[in-house]
Amino acid sequence: MRTFSGIAASPGIAMGKLRIIDRNRVAVSEYPIPSESVSHETARLAKAIDDTRSELDQLKTRLAESNGEEHLFFIETHLMILADERLITETTDIIRTGMINAEGALRRTLHRYRETFSNIEDPYLRERISDVETVIERVLRSMTGEVAEPFPQNEGQIVIAAHDISPADLLQINRRNVLAIITGIGGRTSHTAILARALELPAVMGVDGITNLLFDGHPVVVDGLSGAVVVDPDKESFQNFLRRKQHYEYVEYELLKTVPLPSVTLDGHLIQLRGNVEIPEEGGSVLAHGGDGVGLYRTEMLFMNRPSMPDEEEQLSVYRSMQKAIAPHSLTIRTLDAGGDKLLEGMDQTSEANPALGVRAIRISLSMPDEFKKQLRAILRVSADGPVRVMFPMISGLEEIRKAKALLEEAKSDLAACGIPYDSNIKVGVMIEIPAAVTLADLLAREVDFFSVGTNDLIQYTLAIDRSNEQLSEMYQPLHPAVLRSLRRIVQAAHGARIPACLCGEMAGEPLYLPVLLGLGFDELSMGAGSILRVKQILRRCTLERASRMAEGCFAFSTTAEVVMYLKSQITLDVAESID
Ligand code: PEP
Ligand code: MG
């Protein structure tokens, strides 16, 4: 028995025969070339890039026919990487200055990219290297003529392990045979992980060296909940996994039965439970888990890993895919929230001493009104297709929201002048995630149609705790009395102005916090698709009245530890009462 541990990237437990495939590493050698061959090698490189582009275009058409448009976002990303001029200019430079063959030069370019990406702090961005690797491997294959090992189709119940699995590969697998995937690289936010979750395929990623071991054909257990991979499990551990699997599937099965049930409390109060998404692939999964549409669509992904901003048409087409995926439910689109830990190419943020307090989110958008209006027009245009709300991130005061709204009005006029339809009453919201916005919540509430609290940032800025600093994770406390007071103030301000109070930070998806958020009076909670049914289950067992008392009770305590203890005791009391 050999146990490995990786990143739990897509939930579920599966047992099958391990099938190791090695598709992504093309064997290429580097060798010196005479100066007269330089132009031949650069031409080979350019041709291989062209051929790869046509190959991806064909793949896109083929997958659109078999799987629909919904999951094709990643191919666009790959086409964009291929279109990046620097790929060709840097590699050509290496051919010229290093006097080496095109394959060798391209490998060196990839190596440079790897080094650059490995220094990026944000895990989502760091993992984008896997898209670059997939694209470069395709170009290398095109140059060497080496054919990728085909994905196994009918080999019984297998678990595929590979150094990397591209989203395109994932869409081509036969779900009846392939029970789970394991990859050597990647993490929770890689496109492959997002797609695996959308396809409900258990996945463990970042299992170093899994493909170098000689385990092909051996029995394997993959635990996408804990990140464990066990090859040749002994009887006892197999039985343990089997029990966990049965329990997980039983709970999922029971939870899925609740999809059609309304998200109401025992005393009949309806709370909207919505999904947080980053790419259109996730829309279907939100609906499958009973989400009432999307409460937070983070649009940053569309702007990342590219030398220039997406134009209005490109944005419109992606927003349309998202809207179609969740129609007829409503879609809340957040405008660009780049900066801080989500860097855009070409933005020189390395010079910022405090990126979390730097040029980010609405500040970037307001500094580039023309680009911002492109996004606003694209959002407005999709609002003609179904219910869409627009939401501005990191608003700190009235000037910002007024400027953003003025630009929205200009975007409306641009469209009206061209006779392009849009929802002229589109609902406008602000994210409340900066303490200044909490202090000014009553004033901000008069300017907008809804609030959405970004607790991830609000906690960070309220407690001055970097949200991504693992050393401080103990101090990152959602139930800190200062946070609770802020939340109460936000809801009171929203309701005072008769607008809904929504919350879309990670806190929304944690069942323990549900009674508090419900009791504070939140009208809508938006979370990862996988949390919706669990939160709904608790919601359906609470009364608003009891939750309000519980929330109120929290304010009697002055430390987080006391609040946590109080909440746990209240929940234990409830469970005990329900058993009595
Ligand atoms: C938040 O800050 O809580 C939020 C939802 O936004 P993000 O995590 O994208 O900053
Ligand atoms: Mg935020």
Side-chain angles (χ1 to χ4, degrees):
M1 180 165 98
R2 286 283 301 270
T3 305
F4 300 85
S5 103
I7 297 157
S10 176
I13 296 172
M15 288 108 171
K17 200 169 67 171
L18 188 60
R19 179 72 168 81
I20 297 176
I21 53 172
D22 192 3
R23 288 166 61 84
N24 286 325
R25 290 272 166 93
V26 191
V28 292
S29 43
E30 179 182 307
Y31 49 85
I33 54 162
S35 55
E36 59 273 22
S37 301
V38 165
S39 56
H40 174 67
E41 289 301 306
T42 51
R44 281 182 62 229
L45 174 71
K47 179 172 181 318
I49 290 181
D50 271 354
D51 290 350
T52 307
R53 187 174 302 117
S54 326
E55 209 181 281
L56 283 174
D57 281 333
Q58 282 165 19
L59 177 67
K60 193 170 141 190
T61 317
R62 221 175 47 239
L63 288 177
E65 279 162 11
S66 57
N67 289 272
E69 305 269 335
E70 190 193 349
H71 297 304
L72 298 181
F73 184 65
F74 67 89
I75 299 192
E76 295 296 344
T77 310
H78 290 180
L79 282 167
M80 271 164 355
I81 294 170
L82 214 48
D84 186 349
E85 276 294 307
R86 279 172 305 179
L87 181 63
I88 194 150
T89 50
E90 282 180 23
T91 312
T92 307
D93 264 3
I94 299 174
I95 297 176
R96 278 212 191 94
T97 53
M99 302 286 281
I100 56 167
N101 61 325
E103 291 90 334
L106 193 53
R107 269 262 181 267
R108 286 198 196 183
T109 307
L110 176 58
H111 185 66
R112 281 189 191 168
Y113 280 143
R114 281 204 188 105
E115 280 186 341
T116 314
F117 275 73
S118 68
N119 291 325
I120 299 178
E121 263 184 39
D122 176 59
Y124 179 86
L125 284 182
R126 202 170 49 239
E127 286 164 19
R128 300 277 65 78
I129 185 64
S130 70
D131 288 313
V132 179
E133 283 175 337
T134 306
V135 171
I136 290 185
E137 293 296 336
R138 267 188 191 273
V139 179
L140 285 171
R141 265 182 221 292
S142 167
M143 266 192 275
T144 58
E146 191 183 310
V147 182
E149 184 184 351
F151 246 79
Q153 287 302 331
N154 290 308
E155 297 186 10
Q157 309 260 283
I158 56 170
V159 167
I160 290 181
H163 171 66
D164 190 14
I165 297 177
S166 75
D169 288 337
L170 207 54
L171 282 178
Q172 294 180 74
I173 63 167
N174 180 345
R175 281 291 274 117
R176 274 201 299 275
N177 293 333
V178 180
L179 305 179
I181 57 166
I182 308 167
T183 63
I185 60 166
R188 268 193 70 75
T189 56
S190 67
H191 281 152
T192 304
I194 292 170
L195 193 56
R197 290 197 290 275
L199 298 172
E200 294 178 29
L201 181 71
V204 175
M205 301 191 147
V207 184
D208 202 20
I210 184 83
T211 52
N212 300 335
L213 300 162
L214 299 172
F215 290 137
D216 206 22
H218 289 224
V220 64
V221 178
V222 178
D223 185 343
L225 299 166
S226 70
V229 170
V230 182
V231 183
D232 293 327
D234 62 21
K235 201 167 163 204
E236 192 189 339
S237 112
F238 184 84
Q239 292 295 345
N240 277 341
F241 277 112
L242 197 59
R243 270 195 296 277
R244 257 169 78 74
K245 175 177 160 65
Q246 282 162 349
H247 181 253
Y248 173 77
E249 287 173 358
Y250 171 73
V251 172
E252 277 298 292
Y253 175 75
E254 288 298 313
L255 281 175
L256 282 171
K257 284 189 196 161
T258 66
V259 166
L261 301 179
S263 41
V264 286
T265 59
L266 279 178
D267 47 354
H269 288 271
L270 182 78
I271 305 292
Q272 310 276 8
L273 298 184
R274 298 193 157 133
N276 291 354
V277 295
E278 307 196 332
I279 56 172
E281 282 88 327
E282 295 176 292
S285 175
V286 169
L287 296 197
H289 287 87
D292 183 19
V294 163
L296 168 64
Y297 172 18
R298 295 178 162 105
T299 54
E300 298 74 81
M301 302 312 148
L302 182 55
F303 290 75
M304 287 169 169
N305 307 309
R306 53 187 301 155
S308 57
M309 301 252 177
D311 65 17
E312 184 179 324
E313 296 304 320
E314 184 182 340
Q315 293 190 50
L316 176 63
S317 119
V318 177
Y319 303 159
R320 276 214 169 115
S321 315
M322 188 70 240
Q323 197 277 331
K324 259 200 242 159
I326 62 146
H329 298 272
S330 96
L331 170 63
T332 304
I333 307 181
R334 177 175 75 183
T335 62
L336 181 64
D337 185 14
D341 56 353
K342 304 172 205 153
L343 297 189
L344 295 189
E345 272 187 40
M347 276 173 59
D348 183 20
Q349 292 207 315
T350 42
S351 55
E352 289 196 318
N354 284 308
L357 307 181
V359 186
R360 52 173 308 192
I362 195 72
R363 301 168 192 173
I364 296 183
S365 298
L366 292 177
S367 72
M368 299 188 291
D370 290 338
E371 290 298 333
F372 190 28
K373 276 199 283 176
K374 283 183 200 160
Q375 179 169 41
L376 295 173
R377 283 195 298 267
I379 295 172
L380 283 167
R381 286 169 71 182
V382 75
S383 75
D385 300 348
V388 168
R389 305 191 295 187
V390 60
M391 175 160 91
F392 301 115
M394 301 280 298
I395 294 286
S396 64
L398 292 176
E399 290 93 338
E400 274 168 346
I401 185 62
R402 286 184 184 150
K403 280 187 197 153
K405 278 169 52 187
L407 290 168
L408 182 68
E409 288 309 311
E410 285 180 29
K412 285 182 182 175
S413 310
D414 293 347
L415 295 179
C418 304
I420 299 173
Y422 63 91
D423 173 7
S424 55
N425 289 319
I426 188 167
K427 297 275 181 269
V428 178
V430 277
M431 294 211 46
I432 305 286
E433 46 189 350
I434 298 184
V438 179
T439 314
L440 296 179
D442 54 331
L443 302 180
L444 286 170
R446 295 188 205 145
E447 302 277 335
V448 290
D449 302 305
F450 67 98
F451 277 173
S452 192
V453 187
T455 44
N456 306 340
D457 277 316
L458 183 61
I459 298 168
Q460 149 163 286
Y461 294 124
T462 304
L463 304 180
I465 296 291
D466 179 350
R467 64 192 259 186
S468 47
N469 186 339
E470 278 161 27
Q471 285 174 15
L472 295 174
S473 60
E474 294 277 299
M475 294 173 77
Y476 185 90
Q477 296 166 341
L479 295 177
H480 191 291
V483 175
L484 292 180
R485 283 170 193 228
S486 298
L487 295 178
R488 180 165 65 177
R489 184 172 186 147
I490 296 165
V491 177
Q492 283 170 351
H495 290 175
R498 298 185 189 287
I499 61 168
C502 318
L503 188 147
C504 62
E506 291 302 303
M507 224 182 145
E510 173 53 63
L512 174 69
Y513 304 144
L514 188 266
V516 182
L517 300 180
L518 175 65
L520 284 172
F522 279 98
D523 306 285
E524 175 187 320
L525 302 174
S526 191
M527 62 204 81
S531 304
I532 296 174
L533 291 172
R534 282 177 175 76
V535 169
K536 178 151 96 177
Q537 189 184 35
I538 310 282
L539 178 77
R540 289 179 54 82
R541 290 176 185 167
C542 283
T543 60
L544 180 61
E545 196 241 316
R546 169 89 182 98
S548 306
R549 268 190 286 128
M550 250 178 170
E552 201 42 53
C554 292
F555 290 95
F557 301 98
S558 36
T559 68
T560 312
E562 286 165 351
V563 174
V564 172
M565 222 152 59
Y566 163 74
L567 271 182
K568 288 194 171 155
S569 70
Q570 292 299 302
I571 289 166
T572 317
L573 212 71
D574 282 355
V575 173
E577 271 172 18
S578 71
I579 294 169
D580 279 352

